[in-house]
Amino acid sequence: MFKKIAFSLFISCTAHLYAQDPISRNTNRQRLDFAKMYFEFGGTYVSSFKGKQIQDNTITTFNHPATVNQYLTWGGFHFWGHAEFFVVVPLGQLNLKKNTVETYELDQSVVTGLRIYPWAMQDKKARPFVGVNWGAVDFKQIINSDENSTVLTKDFLLNFEAGLLYNYKSFGLRLGVNYNADNKWDYPLDKEKKAEIKTPEITASLGLLYAFDSTKDTNKENIDRWNSYPEFSKLSYKARRKGAFFIGIGPSFSFSLSKSDYNQMKLPYLNDKIASKNYFDMALGYHFTKANLFTALSFRNPKFETEGYGSSQTIKKTALALEVNKFLMDYSGFAPFVGLNISYDKLRYEQEIEGVKSAIKFKGKFEPGLTFGWDIVPGKTDEVLILRTNLRWYPLSEFDVNGQKFSFRQLEYNLIQLVFYPERMKKSKM
């Protein structure tokens, strides 16, 4: 599990960007030519595969139809056209063959992905790429229109891809082939029986993207000053303030990092690793500019749910964390940080089994954690608004349900947080 976390951090390191100059080869590399942001809409073709069901107390097979799964990608081109970092959100699924009796849902998302371009991207040129991503997949069979079956989740998948991207001005056309190695599902067909189902390993995707510049609204004085900064330096380089308060808010979600013994023993037909719904991470803090660190109070309230075959399970968490984080460096506007945090967590556990509801409200508990993340700061400490990403790891969290351990070790992923420094407004107007 530690290797998976380390890998996710490695490929995440600049996943959400500010964007700067058009995609082109630039021999005179400048700070504000480092990256460009884009949005992409497309579809992934998933071929037909064998599903399984119980008929007359016997497990039988049938064919699931081929589908086209629509997606939206948000990402950025980095390192002067040689790399790309992105996240993918599933939008919907189109069945290519109508089947009202047996169908399925397969939601494929990318938490963070990296694509490498051996030859830098250029206008009116097709460029090959290879890529790897940390993905998550939800899979559910629907038999005889019964929506009551279980949604299984795999949230730490290592996927690979290759393809071509053709750029024309601000637009791009992408053709890709994707390899999903972890395609076997031990799927519950009812409360007692499970069967192995294999979803396709190879899928193909086609997408259209639009890239744009988000820093051209700054004045020439700022552009010249920011481009004059060294490629590698401290975030505090040429800082004009000792510090500043900030507030931040951004979408987040949480993953369970270990399987629940309780679910495996008592509710084996439900997910034994539960992921949260989306929630907002809200922060209030102070940036000590000269010391290259910041401290913050962060509020989160994730909700974890799994259900299937008449049973459901919900965990509600309300948490306030105090954290201190140290910036390691600033590389062309990418400023990673690491730190420690202590979170005060209050949990409420609810379950319903065959119509019988029960709930447990736990007392507040302090949980130690590690924080990793990065700021996107083309203008270093001059900027009023910046983009920040946080990952918080809680390796010790757990609780008891009816005398059975429920492992609740988590990774919180604050996808992108908009951070506002009100005190910097006065200086920016000067």
Side-chain angles (χ1 to χ4, degrees):
M1 181 55 66
F2 177 78
K3 291 181 179 179
K4 291 182 178 179
I5 296 172
F7 173 78
S8 71
L9 293 174
F10 171 73
I11 65 171
S12 295
C13 272
T14 47
H16 313 294
L17 322 212
Y18 240 71
Q20 281 86 31
D21 207 52
I23 305 167
S24 63
R25 187 185 303 272
N26 188 351
T27 55
N28 183 24
R29 301 192 311 186
Q30 293 183 316
R31 183 180 179 91
L32 297 189
D33 296 334
F34 185 71
K36 188 174 184 180
M37 187 181 291
Y38 74 85
F39 288 98
E40 176 181 336
F41 175 77
T44 299
Y45 174 76
V46 181
S47 60
S48 176
F49 62 96
K50 297 289 185 182
K52 294 182 181 179
Q53 62 181 331
I54 295 178
Q55 290 183 326
D56 298 326
N57 207 33
T58 302
I59 297 177
T60 61
T61 62
F62 61 91
N63 290 324
H64 278 305
T67 62
V68 174
N69 294 9
Q70 301 94 44
Y71 65 83
L72 176 67
T73 299
W74 174 35
F77 299 107
H78 291 259
F79 299 104
W80 301 276
H82 281 286
E84 174 188 348
F85 298 87
F86 62 96
V87 297
V88 177
V89 179
L91 297 179
Q93 179 173 296
L94 173 65
N95 288 356
L96 299 183
K97 180 180 179 181
K98 294 296 182 180
N99 187 340
T100 59
V101 179
E102 301 103 358
T103 187
Y104 71 98
E105 295 175 357
L106 189 70
D107 289 337
Q108 298 172 304
S109 57
V110 172
V111 179
T112 298
L114 165 67
R115 297 183 179 115
I116 299 295
Y117 293 81
W119 295 275
M121 289 174 284
Q122 288 184 276
D123 191 36
K124 299 180 182 179
K125 298 286 185 180
R127 290 291 186 254
F129 64 83
V130 293
V132 61
N133 66 70
W134 163 23
V137 180
D138 291 341
F139 174 58
K140 177 182 181 178
Q141 284 198 147
I142 302 173
I143 309 298
N144 295 322
S145 301
D146 182 7
E147 296 280 351
N148 199 34
S149 55
T150 301
V151 178
L152 291 187
T153 300
K154 294 183 178 182
D155 51 23
F156 273 96
L157 298 178
L158 182 60
N159 303 317
F160 302 91
E161 64 174 325
L164 288 172
L165 177 65
Y166 177 80
N167 290 301
Y168 179 74
K169 296 183 178 180
S170 296
F171 293 90
L173 183 66
R174 184 193 311 279
L175 176 64
V177 177
N178 315 290
Y179 175 65
N180 311 292
D182 189 359
N183 68 325
K184 297 179 181 178
W185 302 82
D186 191 21
Y187 195 84
L189 304 182
D190 60 18
K191 287 186 175 182
E192 298 178 354
K193 294 183 179 180
K194 294 184 178 182
E196 183 180 271
I197 297 176
K198 295 181 180 179
T199 50
E201 287 183 305
I202 305 296
T203 60
S205 60
L206 181 67
L208 179 66
L209 67 85
Y210 176 76
F212 58 95
D213 190 325
S214 67
T215 59
K216 291 300 185 184
D217 56 348
T218 193
N219 58 49
K220 186 178 186 302
E221 179 185 353
N222 283 342
I223 291 176
D224 292 342
R225 184 172 69 255
W226 296 357
N227 274 330
S228 72
Y229 294 151
E231 198 168 274
F232 282 96
S233 62
K234 292 183 178 180
L235 183 58
S236 58
Y237 178 79
K238 290 191 175 181
R240 294 179 285 185
R241 289 180 177 273
K242 291 183 179 180
F245 287 97
F246 65 83
I247 56 175
I249 187 171
S252 301
F253 47 98
S254 299
F255 302 100
S256 295
L257 298 180
S258 58
K259 295 181 179 181
S260 162
D261 292 339
Y262 177 81
N263 279 21
Q264 290 181 323
M265 293 290 293
K266 304 293 185 181
L267 301 168
Y269 50 91
L270 296 184
N271 264 323
D272 53 17
K273 292 173 63 178
I274 308 176
S276 78
K277 304 292 185 182
N278 292 333
Y279 60 93
F280 282 100
D281 184 318
M282 293 172 281
L284 173 65
Y286 188 82
H287 184 172
F288 296 89
T289 306
K290 298 296 184 180
N292 288 293
L293 65 82
F294 70 89
T295 184
L297 286 171
S298 297
F299 174 80
R300 299 96 64 221
N301 61 341
K303 183 178 181 181
F304 303 77
E305 293 180 305
T306 180
E307 61 181 357
Y309 301 110
S311 299
S312 65
Q313 190 177 62
T314 302
I315 303 170
K316 298 177 181 178
K317 173 181 171 180
T318 303
L320 184 66
L322 173 64
E323 57 188 346
V324 178
N325 299 306
K326 175 72 172 179
F327 289 102
L328 303 178
M329 64 174 183
D330 171 11
Y331 173 54
S332 291
F334 167 63
F337 58 81
V338 296
L340 301 173
N341 74 78
I342 184 78
S343 180
Y344 182 71
D345 296 356
K346 297 184 72 173
L347 301 177
R348 178 179 173 84
Y349 174 87
E350 301 172 356
Q351 71 177 31
E352 181 177 353
I353 303 175
E354 296 180 350
V356 179
K357 297 181 180 180
S358 60
I360 304 173
K361 187 176 182 180
F362 297 94
K363 293 182 180 180
K365 182 180 178 182
F366 287 99
E367 294 288 351
L370 300 176
T371 303
F372 313 84
W374 55 90
D375 284 4
I376 301 302
V377 282
K380 287 188 176 287
T381 57
D382 291 341
E383 296 189 85
V384 176
L385 290 172
I386 67 164
L387 301 181
R388 173 172 294 160
T389 294
N390 296 292
L391 294 97
R392 299 187 189 93
W393 180 31
Y394 295 100
L396 304 178
S397 183
E398 64 179 22
F399 55 88
D400 289 342
V401 179
N402 300 326
Q404 190 80 38
K405 288 290 184 184
F406 196 113
S407 177
F408 202 49
R409 296 192 287 270
Q410 305 158 60
L411 180 68
E412 295 181 0
Y413 185 29
N414 180 206
L415 179 65
I416 197 74
Q417 189 177 66
L418 182 64
V419 180
F420 173 51
Y421 288 85
E423 295 171 280
R424 294 179 182 176
M425 293 182 68
K426 183 185 299 185
K427 190 69 177 178
S428 67
K429 294 177 181 179
M430 295 177 62

